[in-house]
Amino acid sequence: MPVPKTLGIETEYGIVHRGVDDPNPISASSLLINAYLSRRSQPGVGPGSPRVGWDFIDETPHNDVRGFSHIGSMAPEVETHLVNAVLTNGARYYVDHAHPELSTPECADAMAVLRHDRAAELIMIESMSAANEVLPDGEELVVYKNNSDGKGNSYGCHENYLMDRATPFADIVQHATTHFVTRQVFTGAGKVGSEAPWIPGDAVAFQLTQRADFFEEEVGLETTLKRPIINTRDEPHADPLLYRRLHVIVGDANLCEVATLLKLGTTAIVLAMVEEGLMDPALQISDPVRAIQAVSLDTSLRQPLLLADGRTATAVDIQWQLLEQAQKFTLQRGTELTGGSVADLVLLRWEEALTSLEADPSELVGVVDWVTKKHLLDGLAERHGLSPDDARLAALDLQYHDLRPERSLFARVGAETLVDTPDAVIAMEQPPDDTRAYFRGRCLQKWPEDIVAANWDSMVFDLGRQVLRRVPMMEPTRGTREHVGTLLDECETVSELLDRLST
Amino acid sequence: MAEQEQRRPVRDENDREEPVDVAAAQSASRGSDRLKGELDDLLDEIDEVLESNAEEFVKSYIQKGGE
């Protein structure tokens, strides 16, 4: 049975500390986040982001859905000593490895995630400004929303989808893989060159994605080496008997809003179809690891992929098949579990994107990142007669993702927007209404002094008594405005809230 | 909605005869005159703000792997 496709996105940003000889990305990331938290905590600036830490008690990133974990290939330990804050919009803002990372709150549809992804960009912009105020003259922190440094180091933009625990994992592997390999035609953020060790650096002028070079396995637990197309981390952050959380690590971070909407919206619908057992079993790619790279390297979009049954199809052909199934599924079952009217918009934009990819990809400038970036690269190369290995092209590639408004090349394109900036500004502090993030965010706004810690599936309150009170939130679709809005409005104190919650 | 005129079916191995014409595909994506005019303005701006020492900038952009 399909469950509501509660979903979210977590982005690791690139960070550069300019003006110092020996930059330390961990300190730079900490400074960035702390500067933001301090600025937002000042009276008069807003309700603020209380300094509530993350609670790790239920975190189990090593659990593998296949029921085992192998020595020597464990997911990395979570670094609990680093900056780790919960924001009033229900998001988590923290240092992960050597990057600032922001996880959006859980959302009920792809448009809400997009709004919070835009809010996250605004948070990064304000963080840079706050940090640069306290840095000495001549120093500056710069944040990039990309996934690779062009030298073989990659950092992720991960998606999360709530799924029915009863769905056989093998079904998810087969069908999600087909989608992940072929959705690159509209999710790719574009990259100059290749970082795959087996491809000579100068053999590739441009490819569709930042990430395809880094995938070496079909299924696995790792995220930092030998990356798998399907990640098996089994950490539902919800009732483990009912749910799993599909943790998707193959995507690029997108700047084009339509691309972000499509990445999340199409995947939510495909996963709902997998739960219903409605996917075409014959649609299976023969060698997914080779195929994910082949699709990324094929800017003509014409190269056929070999399917398991011997037929061939291009990535765009396969996307047409998935769209057709999704349209049928939506006609039959409605959109209640896949985002309501947002799902209808996703289907429409999905069809338009595939039509343009076939007819004339340049129609997607400002809609799909790789097309947009390629448009700029081709233009610059033509204007100055640049050879494919000219450093100016690699510089353009990086600077496309620069989040400083005055330096961002993406910002100059005038890309299509789906979220009004005032709504993104509101989402910097306000949680979505329709998931448990609403309860988390509202409590943080109202009683920051009484909250000891928070995480995805619980909050810990301090009532000044002997023991702390933990409130479990194991159901992601409860704790919404509809469910607890009035209660939160009426309660004056945490003590009153907890009393009324337990009756 | 379910009937897609544009949709190309998944092909059998033996009826794959469409030639791959990369050059045509690329020239088709050159965009309209309008797009071209906007691109010229955009390239003026890019020339203005692009990191002045591109080679040094690209070389020094080094990140630690993440995730």
Side-chain angles (χ1 to χ4, degrees), chain A residues 200-223:
Chain A
D202 56 358
V204 175
F206 180 81
Q207 60 177 313
L208 306 193
T209 75
Q210 298 253 307
R211 293 277 283 170
D213 283 337
F214 300 100
F215 285 78
E216 298 176 51
E217 305 279 344
E218 291 179 30
V219 181
L221 186 58
E222 294 83 357
T223 58

Side-chain angles (χ1 to χ4, degrees), chain A residues 12 15 97 99 149 151 153-155 158 211 224 227 311 317 321 324 327 383-384 399 412, chain B residues 1 4 7-8 11 13 28-29 36 40 42 44-45 47 49 51 58 61 63-67:
Chain A
E12 287 181 330
I15 187 163
H97 300 273
H99 299 271
D149 66 358
K151 297 163 189 73
N153 302 307
S154 186
Y155 32 103
H158 299 174
R211 293 277 283 170
T224 55
R227 292 179 181 89
R311 295 178 301 162
D317 288 339
Q321 303 264 321
E324 189 183 2
Q327 287 166 332
R383 170 178 279 200
H384 299 297
Q399 206 176 326
R412 287 162 193 273
Chain B
M1 286 279 275
Q4 292 293 332
R7 192 176 72 71
R8 257 193 272 127
R11 279 178 288 265
E13 184 72 88
S29 71
K36 186 92 185 163
D40 276 338
L42 203 51
D44 288 342
E45 289 189 44
D47 277 338
V49 299
E51 295 285 347
V58 171
Y61 186 87
Q63 299 289 308
K64 291 232 162 95
E67 304 165 88

Side-chain angles (χ1 to χ4, degrees), chain A residues 175 178-180 182-187 258-259 261-273 279 283 315-330 338 342-358 364 367-368 416 418, chain B residues 1 4 6:
Chain A
H175 300 299
T178 304
H179 186 48
F180 295 156
T182 55
R183 71 174 192 172
Q184 295 182 100
V185 295
F186 52 79
T187 63
V258 179
L261 180 85
L262 285 177
K263 177 174 67 179
L264 294 157
T266 63
T267 304
I269 297 171
V270 166
L271 295 176
M273 293 195 292
M279 296 288 285
L283 208 54
V316 175
D317 288 339
I318 293 171
Q319 279 295 312
W320 275 120
Q321 303 264 321
L322 292 174
L323 170 63
E324 189 183 2
Q325 289 176 40
Q327 287 166 332
K328 278 187 197 154
F329 167 78
T330 302
T338 51
V342 174
D344 292 321
L345 176 66
V346 167
L347 290 176
L348 188 72
R349 298 309 305 254
W350 192 357
E351 183 174 349
E352 286 175 9
L354 297 182
T355 303
S356 293
L357 286 170
E358 265 186 347
L364 299 173
V367 174
V368 165
E416 180 182 350
L418 298 170
Chain B
M1 286 279 275
Q4 292 293 332
Q6 316 92 312

Side-chain angles (χ1 to χ4, degrees), chain A residues 479-497:
Chain A
T480 63
R481 180 190 284 273
E482 192 183 357
H483 180 222
V484 296
T486 310
L487 177 71
L488 288 166
D489 288 341
E490 288 174 358
C491 288
E492 295 281 324
T493 64
V494 164
S495 177
E496 192 185 341
L497 174 74

Side-chain angles (χ1 to χ4, degrees), chain A residues 23 77 133 157 184 191 230 235 251 259 286 292 329 345 359 377 381 386 392 398 404 435 437 441 445 447 467 491:
Chain A
E77 290 293 338
E133 251 174 36
C157 176
Q184 295 182 100
K191 185 167 74 176
I230 299 289
E235 193 184 19
S286 158
I292 203 168
F329 167 78
L345 176 66
L377 287 165
L386 305 179
R392 275 172 284 180
L398 291 173
R404 292 173 296 176
T435 65
Q445 288 170 0
W447 301 289
V467 288
C491 288

Side-chain angles (χ1 to χ4, degrees), chain A residues 142-161:
Chain A
V142 184
V143 175
Y144 294 82
K145 191 185 186 188
N146 61 3
N147 302 106
S148 149
D149 66 358
K151 297 163 189 73
N153 302 307
S154 186
Y155 32 103
C157 176
H158 299 174
E159 304 141 62
N160 297 293
Y161 302 89

Side-chain angles (χ1 to χ4, degrees), chain A residues 11 37 40 60 103 105 114 129 169 180 215 231 234 237 290 306 342 396 404 419 451 455 494:
Chain A
T11 307
L37 297 174
R40 285 271 157 172
T60 51
S103 301
L114 172 62
S129 139
F169 196 69
F180 295 156
F215 285 78
N231 182 273
D234 190 8
H237 296 314
R290 185 178 294 184
L306 183 62
V342 174
L396 187 157
R404 292 173 296 176
V419 174
I451 298 166
N455 67 22
V494 164

